[in-house]
Amino acid sequence: QVQLVESGGGLVQAGGSLKLSCTASGMPFRDNVMVWYRQAPGNQREWVARIGIYGGTDYADSVKGRFTISRDNAKNTVYLQMNNLKPEDTATFYCNTYYGGRTYWGQGTQVTVSS
């Protein structure tokens, strides 16, 4: 049973930073692409960042230059370092992966950025 558990969300002022973590279990973590999504109230879930099995990364234009995705295969954990946060970054952030023909999501962690 694949499980993804996010942590690290919270309330921060605009311009501040947060680092999210997502720890995976039940799958060979190092062999899977890991993705961060977010969903703001009233909006559709949107892709934020992706990291490949060899560490290659991609970012949504809205976060490029501010967010950094990384992974620690020894800890089965993917991170999202978020700097220079803006009020429009307020959302629930979700960890995602695809394994064994299925898509898996974590429960989400809330990020609130005050102006």
Side-chain angles (χ1 to χ4, degrees):
Q1 179 78 2
V2 174
Q3 286 193 318
L4 303 174
V5 180
E6 302 100 333
S7 62
L11 173 63
V12 64
Q13 289 188 330
S17 298
L18 282 174
K19 186 173 184 178
L20 307 183
S21 300
C22 169
T23 300
S25 60
M27 68 174 197
F29 179 81
R30 65 176 64 249
D31 295 332
N32 284 271
V33 175
M34 300 300 297
V35 189
W36 285 99
Y37 284 79
R38 67 184 179 185
Q39 187 168 18
N43 290 0
Q44 289 190 332
R45 195 168 294 189
E46 64 174 359
W47 168 71
V48 175
R50 175 191 299 116
I51 186 164
I53 61 174
Y54 299 115
T57 58
D58 291 297
Y59 298 93
D61 288 343
S62 58
V63 307
K64 202 170 293 184
R66 301 188 298 121
F67 290 12
T68 302
I69 188 171
S70 61
R71 65 191 299 158
D72 184 340
N73 290 338
K75 296 182 178 180
N76 286 0
T77 300
V78 60
Y79 303 98
L80 187 67
Q81 176 67 49
M82 305 185 294
N83 298 329
N84 190 22
L85 282 160
K86 305 176 181 180
E88 52 264 42
D89 293 317
T90 295
T92 301
F93 282 72
Y94 298 91
C95 183
N96 164 280
T97 194
Y98 182 81
Y99 172 68
R102 289 185 56 184
T103 297
Y104 293 92
W105 297 91
Q107 83 287 352
T109 186
Q110 177 67 37
V111 171
T112 302
V113 185
S114 63
S115 56

